Amino acid sequence: MKALLLTEYNKLAIADEPKPEPAPDELLIQVAACGICGSDVHGYDGSTGRRIPPIIMGHEAAGTVVATGSVVNDFRAGDRVTFDSTVYCGVCEFCRAGQINLCDNRQVIGVSCAEFRRAGAFAEFIVVPARIAYKLPDSFSFPDAAMLEAVSVALHGVAVSGINGEESVLVIGAGMIGLLLLQAARAAGASRVFISDIDATRLKLAAELGADATIEASGASLVNEMLRRTNGLGVDVVLEAVGRDETITTGIDCVRKGGTVTLVGNISPQVTLPLQKVVSRQIRLQGSCASSGEYPEAIEFISTGTIKVAPLITAIAPLSDGPSWFDRLHAREPNLMKIVLDPQRISIAEEVIQP
Ligand SMILES: NC(=O)c1ccc[n+]([C@@H]2O[C@H](COP(=O)([O-])OP(=O)(O)OC[C@H]3O[C@@H](n4cnc5c(N)ncnc54)[C@H](O)[C@@H]3O)[C@@H](O)[C@H]2O)c1
Ligand SMILES: [Zn+2]
Ligand SMILES: [Zn+2]
């Protein structure tokens, strides 16, 4: 099969790889769409150590089942499916409690690190355990399905924040995750959702996706603006989707006494904490990791249009255009959101330029 292989750091190539065989509990899936995640771009240059070459990356995917392992009963060839990026064991204490994102033996599709190596979905075919797969409605497009992983992350962030109606919310960062957190908070019933970023183009999209107000500011000017809009109290919940020192401190300053700051962004491995503010104002700092069981709700919300993902897809491109898209994302070209690769297509150039 053809696959997009990270052969060495900063080097991707279309390679011929052996087509995988499903184990007894696995599905063999013909991949129709796979999104490029920020973590793939950060792994590509070796900075995270989570994509040790050679590796086929890609964990935001959807496609069609072509074969099933001997003990799989819930799926059959022809089923249109997506799958979780987390491969959980199903037997540890956390899995048994339904906290599959916290599994003691957690692996991630398309990741290679010191502990494990799992081929991802930038390939014509992939095998995944049937327990992580979900069936898609017929009307659901494959590129939209490649967004389900990120939508589930956002729904989980909102769920652990305890947003269930009438709260005022500030989302910090209007990137991919922030724009989905905004829509997920809305869907959960938040009364007002504000969103901030330092990039005006991102905020324009946020306004189109239903933000009550977009605030192009950070630091003290954002805090002043949020206090002004909440009678000096601060918002009930801050959803932090950048993950830097400054934005986390600002988030703590924007929340009301007794409120919650949910940390979804994780770019910086370490930040400083304004400890006395957190303690004396009794603020809850809540981490949020991946998702645990939000896929069915994500499918429902996209199907009904409650959460819109099409405006977040910048391009749907053939797998063979992967290397150039990775270069452009790595160079932080402006105005790029989600790039979805289609492993069933090779570029027209490669198709027609034959000797
Ligand atoms: N917890 C999880 O499970 C999980 C899952 C996916 C991503 N993430 C993390 O979420 C974060 C966001 O991911 P993304 O894919 O949306 O990234 P992104 O690059 O699309 O978005 C980041 C946004 O932050 C904005 N930004 C940067 N500095 C800012 C500042 N000082 N003030 C306000 N905005 C600022 C950028 O302009 C951009 O719009 C990352 O840290 C990522 O690692 C966490
Ligand atoms: Zn991802
Ligand atoms: Zn487990």
Side-chain angles (χ1 to χ4, degrees), residues 268-286:
S268 304
Q270 206 152 336
V271 297
T272 31
L273 183 70
L275 176 66
Q276 294 178 347
K277 271 183 197 166
V278 173
V279 173
S280 60
R281 304 179 70 238
Q282 201 166 297
I283 289 162
R284 176 164 75 111
L285 295 180
Q286 169 71 54

PDB file of all heavy atoms in Angstrom, residues 268-286:
ATOM      1  N   SER A 268       3.342  24.850  26.354  1.00  0.00           N
ATOM      2  CA  SER A 268       4.496  24.954  27.258  1.00  0.00           C
ATOM      3  C   SER A 268       4.487  23.801  28.241  1.00  0.00           C
ATOM      4  O   SER A 268       3.456  23.523  28.849  1.00  0.00           O
ATOM      5  CB  SER A 268       4.424  26.259  28.066  1.00  0.00           C
ATOM      6  OG  SER A 268       4.338  27.351  27.208  1.00  0.00           O
ATOM      7  N   PRO A 269       5.626  23.139  28.413  1.00  0.00           N
ATOM      8  CA  PRO A 269       5.654  22.039  29.382  1.00  0.00           C
ATOM      9  C   PRO A 269       5.496  22.537  30.820  1.00  0.00           C
ATOM     10  O   PRO A 269       5.029  21.810  31.690  1.00  0.00           O
ATOM     11  CB  PRO A 269       7.024  21.399  29.180  1.00  0.00           C
ATOM     12  CG  PRO A 269       7.816  22.325  28.352  1.00  0.00           C
ATOM     13  CD  PRO A 269       6.901  23.299  27.688  1.00  0.00           C
ATOM     14  N   GLN A 270       5.852  23.800  31.067  1.00  0.00           N
ATOM     15  CA  GLN A 270       5.799  24.324  32.435  1.00  0.00           C
ATOM     16  C   GLN A 270       5.406  25.799  32.397  1.00  0.00           C
ATOM     17  O   GLN A 270       5.815  26.522  31.494  1.00  0.00           O
ATOM     18  CB  GLN A 270       7.183  24.195  33.053  1.00  0.00           C
ATOM     19  CG  GLN A 270       7.148  24.102  34.531  1.00  0.00           C
ATOM     20  CD  GLN A 270       8.352  23.321  35.066  1.00  0.00           C
ATOM     21  OE1 GLN A 270       8.941  22.507  34.363  1.00  0.00           O
ATOM     22  NE2 GLN A 270       8.698  23.576  36.293  1.00  0.00           N
ATOM     23  N   VAL A 271       4.587  26.225  33.359  1.00  0.00           N
ATOM     24  CA  VAL A 271       4.209  27.646  33.457  1.00  0.00           C
ATOM     25  C   VAL A 271       4.314  28.074  34.916  1.00  0.00           C
ATOM     26  O   VAL A 271       4.353  27.230  35.815  1.00  0.00           O
ATOM     27  CB  VAL A 271       2.758  27.902  32.964  1.00  0.00           C
ATOM     28  CG1 VAL A 271       2.610  27.569  31.493  1.00  0.00           C
ATOM     29  CG2 VAL A 271       1.741  27.155  33.804  1.00  0.00           C
ATOM     30  N   THR A 272       4.338  29.402  35.150  1.00  0.00           N
ATOM     31  CA  THR A 272       4.318  29.879  36.540  1.00  0.00           C
ATOM     32  C   THR A 272       2.867  30.061  36.960  1.00  0.00           C
ATOM     33  O   THR A 272       2.017  30.402  36.152  1.00  0.00           O
ATOM     34  CB  THR A 272       5.039  31.229  36.701  1.00  0.00           C
ATOM     35  OG1 THR A 272       4.895  31.965  35.509  1.00  0.00           O
ATOM     36  CG2 THR A 272       6.495  31.053  37.027  1.00  0.00           C
ATOM     37  N   LEU A 273       2.606  29.825  38.229  1.00  0.00           N
ATOM     38  CA  LEU A 273       1.239  29.862  38.730  1.00  0.00           C
ATOM     39  C   LEU A 273       1.083  30.996  39.745  1.00  0.00           C
ATOM     40  O   LEU A 273       1.841  31.059  40.705  1.00  0.00           O
ATOM     41  CB  LEU A 273       0.940  28.515  39.399  1.00  0.00           C
ATOM     42  CG  LEU A 273      -0.456  28.314  39.936  1.00  0.00           C
ATOM     43  CD1 LEU A 273      -1.440  28.185  38.793  1.00  0.00           C
ATOM     44  CD2 LEU A 273      -0.498  27.059  40.799  1.00  0.00           C
ATOM     45  N   PRO A 274       0.111  31.903  39.563  1.00  0.00           N
ATOM     46  CA  PRO A 274      -0.148  32.923  40.584  1.00  0.00           C
ATOM     47  C   PRO A 274      -0.888  32.277  41.756  1.00  0.00           C
ATOM     48  O   PRO A 274      -2.102  32.412  41.906  1.00  0.00           O
ATOM     49  CB  PRO A 274      -1.002  33.956  39.849  1.00  0.00           C
ATOM     50  CG  PRO A 274      -1.624  33.227  38.719  1.00  0.00           C
ATOM     51  CD  PRO A 274      -0.782  32.023  38.405  1.00  0.00           C
ATOM     52  N   LEU A 275      -0.100  31.575  42.562  1.00  0.00           N
ATOM     53  CA  LEU A 275      -0.650  30.679  43.582  1.00  0.00           C
ATOM     54  C   LEU A 275      -1.638  31.363  44.528  1.00  0.00           C
ATOM     55  O   LEU A 275      -2.731  30.850  44.777  1.00  0.00           O
ATOM     56  CB  LEU A 275       0.507  30.076  44.396  1.00  0.00           C
ATOM     57  CG  LEU A 275       0.106  29.193  45.568  1.00  0.00           C
ATOM     58  CD1 LEU A 275      -0.582  27.934  45.069  1.00  0.00           C
ATOM     59  CD2 LEU A 275       1.323  28.819  46.412  1.00  0.00           C
ATOM     60  N   GLN A 276      -1.263  32.544  45.034  1.00  0.00           N
ATOM     61  CA  GLN A 276      -2.123  33.152  46.061  1.00  0.00           C
ATOM     62  C   GLN A 276      -3.472  33.588  45.491  1.00  0.00           C
ATOM     63  O   GLN A 276      -4.494  33.488  46.161  1.00  0.00           O
ATOM     64  CB  GLN A 276      -1.370  34.286  46.751  1.00  0.00           C
ATOM     65  CG  GLN A 276      -0.192  33.693  47.530  1.00  0.00           C
ATOM     66  CD  GLN A 276       0.680  34.718  48.221  1.00  0.00           C
ATOM     67  OE1 GLN A 276       0.572  35.910  47.958  1.00  0.00           O
ATOM     68  NE2 GLN A 276       1.544  34.249  49.100  1.00  0.00           N
ATOM     69  N   LYS A 277      -3.458  34.019  44.202  1.00  0.00           N
ATOM     70  CA  LYS A 277      -4.747  34.359  43.565  1.00  0.00           C
ATOM     71  C   LYS A 277      -5.637  33.125  43.459  1.00  0.00           C
ATOM     72  O   LYS A 277      -6.829  33.170  43.739  1.00  0.00           O
ATOM     73  CB  LYS A 277      -4.499  34.869  42.152  1.00  0.00           C
ATOM     74  CG  LYS A 277      -4.278  36.350  42.062  1.00  0.00           C
ATOM     75  CD  LYS A 277      -4.129  36.749  40.611  1.00  0.00           C
ATOM     76  CE  LYS A 277      -3.513  38.127  40.521  1.00  0.00           C
ATOM     77  NZ  LYS A 277      -3.038  38.435  39.175  1.00  0.00           N
ATOM     78  N   VAL A 278      -5.033  32.019  43.053  1.00  0.00           N
ATOM     79  CA  VAL A 278      -5.822  30.792  42.883  1.00  0.00           C
ATOM     80  C   VAL A 278      -6.387  30.338  44.227  1.00  0.00           C
ATOM     81  O   VAL A 278      -7.563  29.988  44.336  1.00  0.00           O
ATOM     82  CB  VAL A 278      -4.963  29.666  42.239  1.00  0.00           C
ATOM     83  CG1 VAL A 278      -5.726  28.348  42.220  1.00  0.00           C
ATOM     84  CG2 VAL A 278      -4.548  30.055  40.827  1.00  0.00           C
ATOM     85  N   VAL A 279      -5.548  30.405  45.255  1.00  0.00           N
ATOM     86  CA  VAL A 279      -5.979  29.931  46.574  1.00  0.00           C
ATOM     87  C   VAL A 279      -7.012  30.884  47.180  1.00  0.00           C
ATOM     88  O   VAL A 279      -8.112  30.470  47.568  1.00  0.00           O
ATOM     89  CB  VAL A 279      -4.762  29.774  47.525  1.00  0.00           C
ATOM     90  CG1 VAL A 279      -5.231  29.453  48.942  1.00  0.00           C
ATOM     91  CG2 VAL A 279      -3.842  28.673  47.007  1.00  0.00           C
ATOM     92  N   SER A 280      -6.682  32.187  47.239  1.00  0.00           N
ATOM     93  CA  SER A 280      -7.557  33.108  47.981  1.00  0.00           C
ATOM     94  C   SER A 280      -8.866  33.369  47.238  1.00  0.00           C
ATOM     95  O   SER A 280      -9.875  33.697  47.858  1.00  0.00           O
ATOM     96  CB  SER A 280      -6.825  34.420  48.273  1.00  0.00           C
ATOM     97  OG  SER A 280      -6.447  35.013  47.057  1.00  0.00           O
ATOM     98  N   ARG A 281      -8.848  33.197  45.903  1.00  0.00           N
ATOM     99  CA  ARG A 281     -10.098  33.396  45.156  1.00  0.00           C
ATOM    100  C   ARG A 281     -10.778  32.038  44.901  1.00  0.00           C
ATOM    101  O   ARG A 281     -11.749  31.942  44.162  1.00  0.00           O
ATOM    102  CB  ARG A 281      -9.819  34.139  43.858  1.00  0.00           C
ATOM    103  CG  ARG A 281      -9.113  35.485  44.116  1.00  0.00           C
ATOM    104  CD  ARG A 281      -8.788  36.239  42.842  1.00  0.00           C
ATOM    105  NE  ARG A 281      -9.992  36.744  42.221  1.00  0.00           N
ATOM    106  CZ  ARG A 281     -10.362  36.442  40.976  1.00  0.00           C
ATOM    107  NH1 ARG A 281      -9.619  35.665  40.232  1.00  0.00           N
ATOM    108  NH2 ARG A 281     -11.484  36.936  40.509  1.00  0.00           N
ATOM    109  N   GLN A 282     -10.211  31.002  45.485  1.00  0.00           N
ATOM    110  CA  GLN A 282     -10.758  29.636  45.411  1.00  0.00           C
ATOM    111  C   GLN A 282     -11.138  29.226  43.985  1.00  0.00           C
ATOM    112  O   GLN A 282     -12.282  28.851  43.698  1.00  0.00           O
ATOM    113  CB  GLN A 282     -11.963  29.494  46.343  1.00  0.00           C
ATOM    114  CG  GLN A 282     -12.247  28.046  46.688  1.00  0.00           C
ATOM    115  CD  GLN A 282     -13.204  27.926  47.846  1.00  0.00           C
ATOM    116  OE1 GLN A 282     -12.900  28.351  48.953  1.00  0.00           O
ATOM    117  NE2 GLN A 282     -14.361  27.350  47.594  1.00  0.00           N
ATOM    118  N   ILE A 283     -10.131  29.305  43.110  1.00  0.00           N
ATOM    119  CA  ILE A 283     -10.361  28.980  41.703  1.00  0.00           C
ATOM    120  C   ILE A 283     -10.050  27.509  41.461  1.00  0.00           C
ATOM    121  O   ILE A 283      -9.078  26.962  41.998  1.00  0.00           O
ATOM    122  CB  ILE A 283      -9.467  29.895  40.825  1.00  0.00           C
ATOM    123  CG1 ILE A 283     -10.024  31.321  40.890  1.00  0.00           C
ATOM    124  CG2 ILE A 283      -9.421  29.408  39.384  1.00  0.00           C
ATOM    125  CD1 ILE A 283      -9.059  32.361  40.455  1.00  0.00           C
ATOM    126  N   ARG A 284     -10.881  26.879  40.659  1.00  0.00           N
ATOM    127  CA  ARG A 284     -10.635  25.479  40.306  1.00  0.00           C
ATOM    128  C   ARG A 284      -9.840  25.429  39.005  1.00  0.00           C
ATOM    129  O   ARG A 284     -10.309  25.926  37.972  1.00  0.00           O
ATOM    130  CB  ARG A 284     -11.970  24.747  40.121  1.00  0.00           C
ATOM    131  CG  ARG A 284     -11.796  23.305  39.652  1.00  0.00           C
ATOM    132  CD  ARG A 284     -13.062  22.487  39.855  1.00  0.00           C
ATOM    133  NE  ARG A 284     -14.093  22.804  38.889  1.00  0.00           N
ATOM    134  CZ  ARG A 284     -14.496  21.977  37.916  1.00  0.00           C
ATOM    135  NH1 ARG A 284     -13.955  20.792  37.775  1.00  0.00           N
ATOM    136  NH2 ARG A 284     -15.455  22.329  37.092  1.00  0.00           N
ATOM    137  N   LEU A 285      -8.653  24.832  39.049  1.00  0.00           N
ATOM    138  CA  LEU A 285      -7.876  24.592  37.832  1.00  0.00           C
ATOM    139  C   LEU A 285      -8.141  23.154  37.405  1.00  0.00           C
ATOM    140  O   LEU A 285      -7.888  22.226  38.168  1.00  0.00           O
ATOM    141  CB  LEU A 285      -6.377  24.778  38.084  1.00  0.00           C
ATOM    142  CG  LEU A 285      -5.899  26.183  38.449  1.00  0.00           C
ATOM    143  CD1 LEU A 285      -4.391  26.180  38.662  1.00  0.00           C
ATOM    144  CD2 LEU A 285      -6.282  27.182  37.361  1.00  0.00           C
ATOM    145  N   GLN A 286      -8.680  23.006  36.198  1.00  0.00           N
ATOM    146  CA  GLN A 286      -9.120  21.683  35.759  1.00  0.00           C
ATOM    147  C   GLN A 286      -8.397  21.309  34.460  1.00  0.00           C
ATOM    148  O   GLN A 286      -8.543  22.001  33.445  1.00  0.00           O
ATOM    149  CB  GLN A 286     -10.638  21.731  35.520  1.00  0.00           C
ATOM    150  CG  GLN A 286     -11.225  20.521  34.826  1.00  0.00           C
ATOM    151  CD  GLN A 286     -11.232  19.293  35.715  1.00  0.00           C
ATOM    152  OE1 GLN A 286     -11.740  19.319  36.822  1.00  0.00           O
ATOM    153  NE2 GLN A 286     -10.664  18.206  35.213  1.00  0.00           N
TER     154      GLN A 286
END
